[in-house]
Every structure is written in C-alpha cells, then in structure tokens.
Amino acid sequence: MHTRREALGLFGAGAALLGTASRPAFAQRSDDVLNEALVLRDPDVPATGNLDGDVNIVEWFDYNCPYCRKIAPEIQQVVQDDGKVRLVLKDWAILGDISKFAARMALAAKYQGKYMAAHEAMIGVSSKLTEPRIRELLDGAGIDMDRLNRDAATNAKAIDAILARNHAQAIAFGFKGTPSFIVGKFRVPGILTMAQFEAVIADARKAKKAN
C-alpha cells in the first residue's frame, strides 16, 4: 500500500526528501506550458480562499466527476480552516461535451462576477449534469442567464483558450484524470483526505522555507 509521501512527487531540489526523481517544479522559460506564473497565477483562471495566502492549491477538476464533487466541501473546509491557502480552480473538462459546456458556462459567469456561484451550484450536485440541468442550476444560483449566454458567445475564444491552457498543463504534469492537484510544489494526482491535505500543506510550507 502506498503511503501519502510515496504517492506525492516534490519538484525541485528537495525531491530526494520523498525518494522521487528530481525534476523542476515549473519551467524557467516564460513560453513553456508549466511556467510557474501561468500555473499559479493565470489572470484568467479563478481563485478563492486567501488570495494573499502563502500556499497555493491548484485543482484540475471536471463538473461531472463524482470524486471532484465528493472532495469539494472537504477542500473548502481545509482552505477555510487554514486561512492562508489560495485555491486555484482549473476547469479540466475531460468527461465529454456536457463537461465542456459546464466549464464554459462557469467561466462565462466570471464576466458578471458569478464564477464561484456557478462553480458551487454545479460541483454541489450528486446527479449527472445535462445542459438543461446546468441552466436550471445556474439560474437558481442567481446568475443572469441572458447575460451569461451573451458573455459565453462574445468571449468564446478566450474561454476556450483558458480550457486549452488548463488541459495542456494537466497533461504536462502527467495527470491521468480528475481531480488532480498541485499543493505548493507537490504534485498530488488524486484524492486526499482532509488530514492528508493538511499534512501536504504543512510539508509545502516547510519546503518553501527550506528553499
């Protein structure tokens, strides 16, 4: 049985601490898909929690992924309890056309300041999403649907570019599915418990101080 530490890969000089092969956390070239600024602080990708926090959790998720739904309230609880974590939400729509539609609608809601409302409405359901169900959920979350449709159409290229960046980063990190995470400079390809997330956040802080 793999332990948490065995399942994680710490990038950079400290990789030996976890018995993993050393590789850089983020690319040095600004045009590389794993450029640190684009992974952690893409200005077009929503973030929540403490936006000035000292540790980033970056999550790649799909709205139709049952594991993403299951873990969502636990991640939010960890972020809230810690108080110093910035959570970056990377829509990675890999489970079909409805997932892509959901991601596009969520990102379009950003233009009326309602991304988190859209995100919470869709990630908080237990049933499989359909286009009518998505529209029902978003309308129920107080989102202006007429504006949402206009924003989705007007900003289609920008939204698709965000989804393409998120996808390229996930593939470059070697992620196989959702949910997948970066915590600090730890790669976490799968689900952790709340206690494990707390431990990885603590590890990330230690690693940050050591560098």
Side-chain angles (χ1 to χ4, degrees):
M1 181 176 178
H2 291 294
T3 66
R4 175 181 58 82
R5 286 185 175 273
E6 289 171 339
L8 299 176
L10 173 61
F11 298 121
L17 293 173
L18 302 183
T20 62
S22 179
R23 57 181 290 193
F26 299 105
Q28 300 303 309
R29 299 199 335 263
S30 62
D31 61 339
D32 194 283
V33 69
L34 294 186
N35 168 260
E36 183 169 353
L38 270 182
V39 172
L40 299 182
R41 299 189 180 275
D42 186 327
D44 295 323
V45 170
T48 187
N50 184 340
L51 300 184
D52 296 317
D54 62 343
V55 170
N56 288 286
I57 295 178
V58 187
E59 179 185 8
W60 283 261
F61 67 93
D62 186 302
Y63 286 112
N64 256 329
C65 165
Y67 304 106
C68 300
R69 294 171 178 173
K70 180 179 184 296
I71 204 171
E74 297 178 3
I75 296 170
Q76 287 291 350
Q77 191 65 51
V78 168
V79 170
Q80 181 179 324
D81 290 349
D82 183 280
K84 295 181 181 179
V85 170
R86 177 173 171 269
L87 176 62
V88 182
L89 296 166
K90 302 257 186 184
D91 291 86
W92 188 23
I94 56 175
L95 297 178
D97 289 340
I98 294 299
S99 293
K100 292 175 184 176
F101 177 78
R104 289 187 180 111
M105 291 295 100
L107 290 169
K110 177 186 65 171
Y111 294 94
Q112 57 178 286
K114 295 287 184 71
Y115 175 86
M116 285 307 301
H119 175 77
E120 289 170 2
M122 291 190 287
I123 207 72
V125 296
S126 57
S127 57
K128 190 170 183 178
L129 294 174
T130 63
E131 186 170 328
R133 179 64 172 142
I134 288 168
R135 293 189 182 280
E136 179 186 10
L137 289 167
L138 297 183
D139 186 45
I143 292 167
D144 182 333
M145 297 304 291
D146 289 337
R147 179 174 176 183
L148 184 71
N149 292 331
R150 291 197 304 271
D151 286 338
T154 302
N155 301 287
K157 287 186 178 180
I159 290 170
D160 283 347
I162 294 168
L163 296 177
R165 288 199 298 277
N166 292 351
H167 176 77
Q169 290 166 0
I171 297 303
F173 275 124
F175 295 143
K176 304 299 184 184
T178 54
S180 291
F181 302 88
I182 297 292
V183 181
K185 292 190 177 181
F186 289 90
R187 174 180 172 276
V188 186
I191 297 175
L192 298 182
T193 65
M194 287 179 66
Q196 287 171 335
F197 263 116
E198 290 166 357
V200 181
I201 291 166
D203 290 344
R205 288 196 171 108
K206 290 176 186 175
K208 188 175 181 180
K209 289 179 180 180
N211 290 338

